[in-house]
Amino acid sequence: LLGTRTAEMHLALAAETEDPAFAPEPFTSLYQRSLYQSIRALTGRTLRLLRSTQSRLPEAERELATDLPGARQALLDRVAPLLDGRMDAQRVRTHGDLHLGQVLYTGKDFVIIDFEGEPARPLSERRFKRSPLRDVAGMVRSFDYVAHSGLAEAQRRGVVPVEQLSLAESWARYWQRWAAAIFVRAYFGRAGDAAFLPASDTDRARLLDALLIEKALYELSYELDHRPEWAGIPLRGVLALAGTTS
């Protein structure tokens, strides 16, 4: 249901209008190259920040952090298809900061709130038109957060014994992946052949991959700056996207 409502939000935002601030615009090769360069630069900044803050991380996360520099090229390889030719898609105004904290559940349906975008970004940047799959990536990453923060809370309360931690972690990953898969399937099912989505399934997967990497790197930078004890969640996410962990 949440995937369906997210698609309906994007269909509304992409509706025909005479307002140029909301009128959809086509992808261009320049936009795709700009997105690639932005993710490439974000990768470099995040790795530098990780090196300077690694000593502040919990022990388990410090060990994981040593794997990330070696995963840099794998991440860039997954983003590189953005340079392979123009995708047939549109850029539209999006939610800009979509995650589970921006959704209210009525008991029967979902209401999406807080359309001001990421407060830390300047207003001019929040008004940019982007691929709606950026919102989809934000929600998929949110499932990762809720699974692992829920597990951490269960540990804190003593619900998960130490000897069952490995099993519980496996179930958390299982839930996150299937929740994300169901959400994405419902999203594409409702969006159908909307002009804001790449026309081919291959391009849809490639673009979503790139935006998931962008989102996970942004999360890692944020956590390193503000909540180092939470950095393990996006750090594991980045490594999984690079294909270096399960």
Side-chain angles (χ1 to χ4, degrees), residues 24-89:
E25 298 177 6
F27 269 40
T28 63
S29 297
L30 180 61
Y31 168 71
Q32 289 175 217
R33 179 168 292 277
S34 175
L35 179 58
Y36 171 82
Q37 294 294 351
S38 174
I39 298 173
R40 182 186 178 95
L42 177 60
T43 303
R45 289 197 304 273
T46 304
L47 286 171
R48 290 192 294 273
L49 180 60
L50 184 61
R51 283 195 297 269
S52 65
T53 58
Q54 191 167 342
S55 61
R56 295 160 47 197
L57 297 177
E59 183 177 353
E61 278 64 48
R62 286 201 300 272
E63 294 179 8
L64 275 177
T66 61
D67 295 333
L68 190 55
R72 178 180 181 275
Q73 191 56 51
L75 291 170
L76 295 180
D77 287 345
R78 293 196 70 174
V79 179
L82 291 172
L83 305 175
D84 286 348
R86 189 176 69 82
M87 295 181 181
D88 184 12

Side-chain angles (χ1 to χ4, degrees), residues 83-230:
L83 305 175
D84 286 348
R86 189 176 69 82
M87 295 181 181
D88 184 12
Q90 289 179 337
R91 295 179 293 124
V92 300
R93 291 288 288 273
T94 63
H95 183 281
D97 189 25
L98 190 64
H99 53 77
L100 287 167
Q102 310 285 38
V103 175
L104 303 178
Y105 184 55
T106 69
K108 294 183 178 180
D109 211 334
F110 290 104
V111 179
I112 300 171
I113 62 172
D114 290 348
F115 282 79
E116 74 272 20
E118 294 176 0
R121 298 183 184 272
L123 184 59
S124 59
E125 187 175 337
R126 287 183 252 167
R127 290 166 58 91
F128 286 169
K129 294 170 185 174
R130 308 177 188 272
S131 168
L133 291 183
R134 196 166 185 265
D135 284 344
V136 174
M139 187 60 73
V140 169
R141 289 292 311 139
S142 190
F143 292 137
D144 198 19
Y145 263 77
V146 76
H148 289 92
S149 61
L151 177 59
E153 176 63 13
Q155 287 179 258
R156 188 190 67 79
R157 293 166 50 203
V159 176
V160 178
V162 174
E163 62 272 16
Q164 293 185 7
L165 180 57
S166 178
L167 177 62
E169 288 174 343
S170 296
W171 277 110
R173 287 194 299 271
Y174 178 88
W175 178 88
Q176 180 268 326
R177 289 173 181 176
W178 276 106
I182 292 166
F183 170 80
V184 171
R185 182 177 63 187
Y187 176 86
F188 283 129
R190 180 64 182 90
D193 58 356
F196 55 72
L197 292 176
S200 76
D201 290 342
T202 297
D203 281 345
R204 291 183 183 192
R206 288 173 171 176
L207 182 56
L208 183 56
D209 267 355
L211 295 170
L212 282 167
I213 288 169
E214 178 190 47
K215 182 64 175 177
L217 287 168
Y218 176 83
E219 292 167 350
L220 180 55
S221 294
Y222 178 89
E223 303 299 7
L224 290 171
D225 270 336
H226 299 92
R227 303 184 299 185
E229 68 278 8
W230 283 67

